[in-house]
Amino acid sequence: MLGAFAVGKTSLVQRYVKSIFSEKYQTTIGVKIDKKTVMVNQTEVDLLLWDIHGEDDFQKVKSSYVVGSSGYFIVIDGTRAETFAVGLELLKLAQSAAPAASCVFLFNKADIKSEWEITENQINEIRTMGFEVIETSAKDNLSVNEAFNHIAALMLK
Amino acid sequence: MSEGVKRSVGINPMSAGQMTELRRAITGLDKEEFQRLSDLVQNPELFSEEISLLLPLSIKKLFDKGEIDIESLRGLVEQVLEQSVKQNPRSLANILFPIMMPAIRKAVAEDITKMVDTLNTSLEYGFSLKRMGWRLQALFSGRKYAEIVLSHAYVFKVNQVFLIHKSTGLLLHQVQDADLQQTSDADMVSSMLSAIKDFVQDSFQRGSDEGLDTIKVGNFNIWMEQGPHAIIAATVEGNAPGELRLIMKEAMEAIHVNLSYELNNFQGDTEVFNIKDRFLQNCLLKEKKEVKKKPPYALTAILAALLVALGYWIYMGVDENQRFDHLIKTINSLPGVLVTDSYKQDGLFIVEGMTDPEVGDFNSLVLNQGFDSDAVRFQMEEFISLDKQIVLKRANRLLTPPDSITLSVKGDTLLATGNADGEWIRFAENRAMAITGVSFFQMQGNVIHSRHQPEPMMEQLERSVLAIENYYFVFEFGEVQLDSLQKEDFDLLITEVKTVLNFDFNQDSIPAIEIISHTSFSGNPEANSAKAQQRADRFIDFMIAAGIPVEVLIPKVVFIEDANDGLPVRSVSFKVKYVTPASL
């Protein structure tokens, strides 16, 4: 899970693994690891989810966290335009550290889409780069399972 | 050459342009290229520079083709190195310095860590006999002392060992102690360890050769051994010895040697690592802490005290029984006593049997054997013994012979040997036949006629008083009845009393008889005293009935503990007192 701080990486993981959501924001320090076993195309897959701390000016994501990963989400907060640029920076870092890994962009907080600062053009820009884009909401459990199941399927290819 | 061409062909000399054309046709090189090659050949400096660019590639190709192998080069390299060291060792040292120093530093650091670990764990055992024993065991078995200590002493347990793929952080395999009940998800633990390792490495800007070795949380440690492609992490409880690190290193090396291809080309298939898990199993060391059984001082002391108490109790019991047996034998050997049974009941020694009143009580014997007077209860029936000693005792009490007379018993005859006045002899002759066990009286000796003078009145009186005071009667508990034998003594008593009372003193005082009833402080003294008073009153009734005036009879109660006259409890004795008539 890569993305700027407070985009909802931990909430997405919690929603996916434990089916819970909390409004309370708790910043992640370092990495939090969870595991979920899913069936993808009749194959049992153990997903080890590295919920990496959000990147900001004071806390840069280290490439070593990404090395060896099979896939990653770049999570962007639809309501905060600045998270888009951070996402693109992290994409560069991840592509460098894990060139063979699958990548899916998640535009989170789809439950308050009326407040989004991210434009459709920006989303299309990502699509143009050849990445899958999924609009999610951890709060309303919108497309969360689909996102994880999708990346799991991509990683198996 | 150009000259030769000219002669042999015989054609016109070629122009420069033609020559160039011809050269290109033959060599395929233009003038500049040809010139450059010519310069290279002629100038060794340039030539060597050109060759140096090709040489590494050529050598590599030679290696690839197998035309040069390492073995053929080794001798050469060794010779070069040897020569270099001989000529200038400093030069090679400087070259190797950047490589050697970190290696040496790491090796020294590891050895120091190992030594400290070993020291820490060894200190726990101190210089004990057990430790000495281990040293001897190591000496004789040829094994290293550390191995012996490892197998005996260290207090630690490796709970789980993880093999983690270094680049992905994925779990390749894990083994755990059979006793381990609850474990965390090994995949997650593996990932977390990788994350921590990465975090430390990134945060502190350490090189890959200076990875995380140990994570310590209280008494729980995670030991990590990093290889080029994998990490072994062992969760250790307690104070593990430094040798564990060595074992983990060996396991790491073995895994890399045996599974090199699988590690390099890991695509998520962990099956092969499951098969070869013996390397990890070797790391699953544990040493149960030997419970130091402290000598149970308190228990030992209590047991010892109990044993001593038990021993003392047994000894006391045996000793008491022996003393009681001895008491019974002594009593039974007394004349006039027959013990029919003796036993212990409710903590009291009971003696049953029969005794002649002349025998008296057994208090002194009981005390002599170390018993309290209350500890032995006598339940003795009275009987008249015909034992010669008892008969003699009875005769002495009833006849009160003068000092000049010695009484003895022979068969059923009472012998009086010595000198006595006629009055006593007559008295004795009259009384002797009434004494139980005496059928005949015989006087052996001289009769003091006292020049036919009558015995002085005062002496006669004194003998009667003495006779009265020698009488005593013992009664059963709660009873004041005279049996037939006591009746005989009672009649004699009354005779003596009347003699004393009839004596004319012509003085201001007259004789009175104290009826002394004996009781004891044992039990309820007040109740005992009341009973004794009743006994005295009852006896006075007997005496009144026998004709003794009531006014001269004075009842009195005494406790045997105070009286100290040797008379038993529930006995009645007598004392003659002289009182003024007015006091009666």
Side-chain angles (χ1 to χ4, degrees), chain B residues 170-203:
Chain B
L170 292 175
L171 180 74
L172 300 175
H173 188 48
Q174 70 109 12
V175 293
Q176 67 181 52
D177 185 82
D179 297 336
L180 200 63
Q181 297 294 325
Q182 288 182 326
T183 57
S184 307
D185 187 297
D187 288 318
M188 288 178 68
V189 172
S190 166
S191 294
M192 287 177 200
L193 286 174
S194 297
I196 292 167
K197 174 186 74 69
D198 292 344
F199 167 76
V200 170
Q201 223 151 2
D202 291 341
S203 301

Side-chain angles (χ1 to χ4, degrees), chain B residues 31-47:
Chain B
K31 183 182 178 187
E32 289 75 19
E33 287 172 332
F34 192 81
Q35 187 60 49
R36 195 178 72 81
L37 287 175
S38 175
D39 291 345
L40 279 176
V41 173
Q42 288 169 10
N43 186 344
E45 188 69 28
L46 275 176
F47 190 61

Side-chain angles (χ1 to χ4, degrees), chain B residues 134-153:
Chain B
W134 293 342
R135 289 212 175 272
L136 287 174
Q137 193 181 345
L139 189 69
F140 291 119
S141 66
R143 294 166 68 195
K144 284 194 290 185
Y145 175 65
E147 282 181 47
I148 302 293
V149 174
L150 191 65
S151 63
H152 284 95

